Amino acid sequence: MASGKPESEQVPPKTPDLSTWYNAICYKAELVSLSPVRGCVVLRPYGYGLWERLQSALDERFKATGHENAYFPLLIPESLLTREAEHVEGFAPEVAWVTQGGTETLSERLAIRPTSEVVIGVMYAQWIQSYRDLPVLINQWANVVRWEKRTRPFLRTLEFLWQEGHTAHATEQEAAAEVQQMLDVYVDVAENICAVPVYKGEKSASERFAGAAHTFSIEGLMPDGRALQAGTSHELGQNFSKAYDITFAAEDQTIQHAWTTSWGMSWRMLGALIMVHGDDRGLRIPPRMAPIEAVIVPIVKAGNDEVALAARSLFKRLKDAGLRVKLDERDLRPGNKYADWEMRGVPLRIELGERDITQGVATLVRRDKAKGEEGGKVVVPLDEMVDRARGILEAIQNNLLARAREHLQSHTFMVAERNEFFRMCRERAGMIDIAWCERPECEAFIKVETSATSRNLRPLEGGPTACVACGEPARVRAYFAQAY
RNA sequence: CGGGAUGUAGCUCAGCCAGGUAGAGCGGGCGCUUUGGGAGCGCCAGGCCGCAGGUUCGAACCCUGUCAUCCCGACCA
């Protein structure tokens, strides 16, 4: 009887086909819908709720580090876009263009922003005159468009939501510190809010942002062994300030070019969260990210509204205590509601029926535990509910992070032997950690052979050693993996 | 952009090969009985068979084109 689940309600298992599972979850949990526009999704209210959680986690950290929000135009005149040569070249294949306004053909094409370094740079050139104007610390919440060949909900869509921070500084050191500070904000949000553990490090030359001097990223590992870049932070050096004339009078009377940075995280982070935590029953949302932390399911019997009243009173108490709680009074059988909220990944379910009420308790079921797993179901006295619910939510948050970290660690391999390195890259074994020469030719060869690329790099510790892939002198340690 | 596959009811799909005018399960609505893991019975609604052409007396089915989605590859700051 427990297996009487209708075929049509099921979602395909998470393994072995992560891709099919992922798509099904995104639609069934009502996060997104396909739209009539190729490659563009509609973010539905529940999906938007997730995005808002991510937004507020990031935004409060941006504010805490002295940044302000502003908004710049969607359209960029072609002549402005083409000033930073490397930048243009990098983005050219994915820029969408507006060529007509109303019935008139435009004299100059307008690019739909693939990112905003250009427009923001032009404005910074106007705003910055003196060292006293620096630093400029601005963030923008925006949509951008990149004409991708292959799209997937959250991970890669033509239009997507993100934030892009853009700062200008008087010195290279200050800009570098900003870039590391924001990278650490991304690590904090990924791990402590989304419960997605990541590796941070610098990008290789071939993976670097077009026009940047240094690009840093955070990289998570998905269950299929592919890596996902979930946030980037760039030292733009003076490349953009030279292209867009961002100069200032320094204390020593000289005119200098500002040092700029940019950093971004998109709704792609949500894709990572979905893949890392979800299971065969649907989404599993870490409590700090959950639009709904707990759902109360009253188990009502006909002709007895005692349960409904108790449920409403419990709902009010939890809500007043500040929990994001939902009372599900729909006219459905409890089993349907359980399955429904499990699909949506609500961390905690509070079941309240006659049996509970007579004993002054409610039954709590944790979404992070499998059915029948130790500790998955606990009975809690109603008058202790607020504190106990809080405690359990925290435990769920920790448990999801611990499990994800365990997966990342057990799928990270420090490899010293060439053939083993190539084999593991091909097999998508996980994050393959090697001593590396950092040469683009070497990276290109690895990519051709295995379709893996370097994810990010960190300093080489210990004595001199050889590149595991090619035998030349190693300069860094690098994680290699196939990437999303 | 190359290779492959698929578009039929809200969802999952059958029907197509051997053309004859639309089906199932689930879901949805109403009623009754139910409600501690995806209920039961009865009634009802729902589809220009992705779109556009062509062949044919007749096309969901055959042909051409096109759009979209999925998988593999290329590309993806």
Side-chain angles (χ1 to χ4, degrees), chain A residues 39 101 120:
Chain A
I120 294 181

Side-chain angles (χ1 to χ4, degrees), chain A residues 296-357:
Chain A
I296 300 171
V297 178
I299 293 135
V300 292
K301 291 221 159 56
N304 179 354
D305 51 7
E306 193 191 1
V307 170
L309 291 173
R312 280 174 207 170
S313 135
L314 178 61
F315 170 69
K316 184 175 189 314
R317 199 139 47 85
L318 292 174
K319 196 177 175 190
D320 289 348
L323 273 85
R324 295 186 297 280
V325 60
K326 165 107 183 162
L327 172 60
D328 187 353
E329 294 192 288
R330 290 177 298 173
D331 183 22
L332 292 174
R333 300 171 70 80
N336 289 284
K337 296 182 182 180
Y338 299 166
D340 197 25
W341 295 113
E342 278 166 4
M343 175 60 67
R344 284 168 175 74
V346 173
L348 185 60
R349 181 172 76 239
I350 302 175
E351 301 177 10
L352 190 63
E354 248 176 19
R355 287 205 312 257
D356 299 295
I357 288 177

Side-chain angles (χ1 to χ4, degrees), chain A residues 214-263:
Chain A
H214 300 279
T215 288
F216 298 83
S217 74
I218 60 169
E219 306 272 338
L221 184 64
M222 301 302 108
D224 61 354
R226 295 165 79 179
L228 183 75
Q229 174 179 303
T232 50
S233 189
H234 316 288
E235 281 183 44
L236 302 176
Q238 293 177 311
N239 297 343
F240 283 84
S241 60
K242 284 177 178 165
Y244 294 93
D245 261 329
I246 309 172
T247 56
F248 65 97
E251 282 184 85
D252 64 4
Q253 305 282 312
T254 60
I255 298 294
Q256 298 184 15
H257 287 280
W259 298 81
T260 64
T261 83
S262 66
W263 27 274

